[in-house]
């Protein structure tokens, strides 16, 4: 397990050594569209409700994005508040706090690639609110436009791998391939997303998909809502709904 972790870490260090573009164009590129602001100061506040076989799982999360260096780099912090509701108990508390760094080695007016490395801490105040593990999650992104730059496609490949934490909790080794399609209509957008996952620990496929509706209601603020559904073996929930507010500054 440790050898695999250091392999991913070494791979990311090699990738990050590639020099970024001196100037990143901010007009019509995949990473400046709604919900993908890699090098703009951004606050995302959202609430996600998930229905599970044993009750409900609700996440209220604050995400902060801040550009660093020459704006080819981006710092991300996730602060989750978790609520669980079962037939016998209701709990609320801080979940696993995450920190990540993104890097964009190539970007032009129609396509781009990006890399991200996240560490999700074992910081939940209750075992029901987190994984009980420290998790390392490297990811690769590719984005491009179609249909006269009205359709945006962003594909991502991420692996989540635990490297420390409670010996009483299940190890994490999940790979996700996600495809996000957004159709832009003026200040509005319609999107669809499907994520295929393989959980190597329990040999399951906890996939999910959602449709999304969003609107930019001021020059720096936008709102979205998306219902989702899970499918595949060993799925982690049945259905859910998420609503979020995105603020640029």
């Amino acid at each position: 397990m440790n050898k695999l972790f250091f392999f991913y870490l070494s791979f990311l260090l090699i990738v990050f050594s590639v020099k970024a573009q001196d100037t990143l164009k901010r007009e019509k590129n995949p990473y400046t569209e709604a919900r993908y602001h890699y090098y703009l100061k951004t606050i995302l506040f959202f609430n996600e409700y998930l229905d599970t076989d044993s009750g409900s799982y609700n996440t209220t999360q604050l995400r902060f994005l801040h550009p660093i260096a020459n704006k080819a780099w981006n710092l991300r912090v996730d602060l989750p508040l978790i609520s669980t509701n079962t037939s016998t108990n209701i709990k609320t508390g801080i979940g696993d706090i995450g920190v990540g760094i993104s890097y964009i080695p190539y970007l032009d007016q129609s396509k781009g690639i990006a890399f991200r490395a996240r560490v999700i801490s074992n910081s939940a105040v209750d075992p029901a609110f987190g994984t009980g593990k420290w998790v390392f999650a490297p990811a690769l992104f590719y984005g491009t436009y179609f249909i006269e730059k009205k359709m945006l496609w962003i594909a991502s490949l991420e692996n989540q791998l635990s490297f420390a934490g409670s010996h009483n909790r299940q190890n994490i080794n999940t790979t996700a391939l996600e495809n996000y399609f957004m159709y832009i209509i003026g200040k509005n957008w319609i999107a669809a997303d499907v994520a295929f996952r393989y959980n190597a620990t329990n040999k399951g496929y906890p996939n999910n998909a959602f449709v999304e509706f969003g609107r930019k209601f001021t020059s720096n603020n936008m709102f979205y809502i998306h219902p989702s559904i899970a499918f595949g073996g060993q799925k982690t929930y049945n259905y859910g709904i998420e609503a979020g507010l995105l603020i640029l500054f």
Side-chain angles (χ1 to χ4, degrees):
M1 182 69 72
N2 288 335
K3 290 182 179 179
L4 189 58
F5 166 69
F6 285 112
F7 167 78
Y8 281 116
L9 183 59
S10 300
F11 170 76
L12 282 168
L13 290 174
I14 292 171
V15 168
F16 289 168
S17 67
V18 179
K19 185 180 179 187
Q21 295 181 163
D22 291 334
T23 302
L24 295 176
K25 301 179 179 65
R26 294 179 59 170
E27 294 183 358
K28 290 298 181 183
N29 64 65
Y31 301 112
T32 56
E33 287 298 349
R35 301 199 64 218
Y36 285 93
H37 296 274
Y38 273 87
Y39 52 90
L40 300 177
K41 294 180 183 179
T42 306
I43 292 177
L44 172 61
F45 180 81
F46 70 87
N47 189 84
E48 181 183 38
Y49 171 87
L50 300 178
D51 174 80
T52 71
D53 291 337
S54 59
S56 64
Y57 193 89
N58 192 84
T59 302
T60 302
Q61 184 155 294
L62 178 65
R63 179 175 298 163
F64 178 68
L65 304 173
H66 194 283
I68 54 179
N70 63 350
K71 294 188 177 181
W73 297 82
N74 172 280
L75 176 66
R76 164 179 161 178
V77 179
D78 291 291
L79 303 173
L81 179 67
I82 309 296
S83 297
T84 59
N85 185 359
T86 67
S87 59
T88 59
N89 201 1
I90 299 175
K91 296 181 178 181
T92 300
I94 300 297
D96 290 340
I97 297 171
V99 177
I101 293 179
S102 300
Y103 173 65
I104 305 175
Y106 178 78
L107 187 67
D108 64 20
Q109 292 188 359
S110 61
K111 59 185 178 296
I113 60 174
F115 299 93
R116 184 180 68 202
R118 287 194 299 153
V119 174
I120 304 168
S121 65
N122 179 19
S123 55
V125 298
D126 187 281
F129 302 152
T131 64
K133 295 288 187 178
W134 285 80
V135 179
F136 178 61
L140 166 67
F141 296 82
Y142 174 77
T144 188
Y145 281 101
F146 297 99
I147 313 176
E148 298 179 349
K149 296 187 177 180
K150 291 184 178 181
M151 174 71 78
L152 172 64
W153 169 49
I154 294 182
S156 66
L157 179 65
E158 182 180 64
N159 179 248
Q160 295 189 2
L161 186 69
S162 60
F163 61 92
S166 173
H167 296 293
N168 298 322
R169 302 295 294 273
Q170 193 176 58
N171 288 330
I172 295 172
N173 186 358
T174 301
T175 301
L177 174 63
E178 187 167 358
N179 286 276
Y180 178 89
F181 294 90
M182 172 192 291
Y183 188 74
I184 303 158
I185 312 170
K187 295 182 178 181
N188 305 301
W189 74 84
I190 301 173
D193 181 285
V194 59
F196 297 101
R197 295 181 177 87
Y198 175 66
N199 186 326
T201 302
N202 61 19
K203 312 300 181 184
Y205 297 87
N207 309 314
N208 76 290
F210 66 76
V211 293
E212 181 175 277
F213 308 92
R215 177 173 175 81
K216 189 173 184 179
F217 57 90
T218 73
S219 59
N220 296 318
N221 300 284
M222 57 197 75
F223 172 82
Y224 72 88
I225 186 169
H226 70 232
S228 66
I229 186 169
F231 62 97
Q234 303 291 332
K235 64 183 181 180
T236 56
Y237 71 102
N238 299 314
Y239 62 86
I241 187 165
E242 177 182 326
L245 175 67
L246 196 71
I247 302 170
L248 309 179
F249 62 99

